[in-house]
Amino acid sequence: MHLLAEDALAELPTSPLTITTPCGPFVGTQSSSSSNDNNELCAVSIIRAGDSLLEVMRNIIPDVPVGKILIQRDESSSEKEAKLYYSKMPPHVSSKRVLLCDPMLATGGSACAALK
């Protein structure tokens, strides 16, 4: 899970950053998740399967705001569509970059429902 979380964070936009070291200046990059202000980033877990990935994200970025959603297939319908049962999001989630924590991807129904 740790590799999956790190790879997802590596996809975030970066900006150049120069650090002065005893050996001279070093030019690297800084992602939005490594800044001191994580107001633009949040992690949303699809309850149960996504909680393991969320735990790793919180180990990497301890102060990341967290949201939770519960989505399950509606077994009574013929289409077996994903149905939203619960949603609790951090404030101003619409203006944040959301890391959707769902490592269980079969049909993609839960992930598509979460994006709606």
Side-chain angles (χ1 to χ4, degrees):
M1 286 293 171
H2 204 82
L3 289 174
L4 182 61
E6 287 181 355
D7 199 40
L9 291 172
E11 294 296 321
L12 292 172
T14 60
S15 58
L17 176 68
T18 302
I19 301 171
T20 304
T21 71
C23 297
F26 173 78
V27 179
T29 60
Q30 178 181 13
S31 70
S32 60
S33 62
S34 65
S35 68
N36 291 333
D37 183 18
N38 283 327
N39 288 333
E40 63 192 45
L41 186 65
C42 74
V44 175
S45 168
I46 296 180
I47 293 177
R48 290 179 31 189
D51 289 340
S52 58
L53 184 55
L54 177 65
E55 182 75 21
V56 174
M57 284 290 185
R58 294 199 66 198
N59 285 335
I60 297 170
I61 312 168
D63 60 340
V64 67
V66 171
K68 298 271 189 173
I69 54 177
L70 175 59
I71 297 174
Q72 293 180 335
R73 283 190 307 194
D74 184 3
E75 297 294 335
S76 63
S77 74
S78 60
E79 295 294 319
K80 308 284 190 223
E81 293 177 353
K83 186 175 178 182
L84 177 68
Y85 286 94
Y86 174 80
S87 175
K88 175 77 173 167
M89 297 293 156
H92 312 293
V93 70
S94 61
S95 63
K96 297 179 184 291
R97 206 175 276 276
V98 176
L99 299 167
L100 182 61
C101 297
D102 182 25
M104 301 294 294
L105 185 62
T107 63
S110 294
C112 287
L115 294 174
K116 292 179 183 175

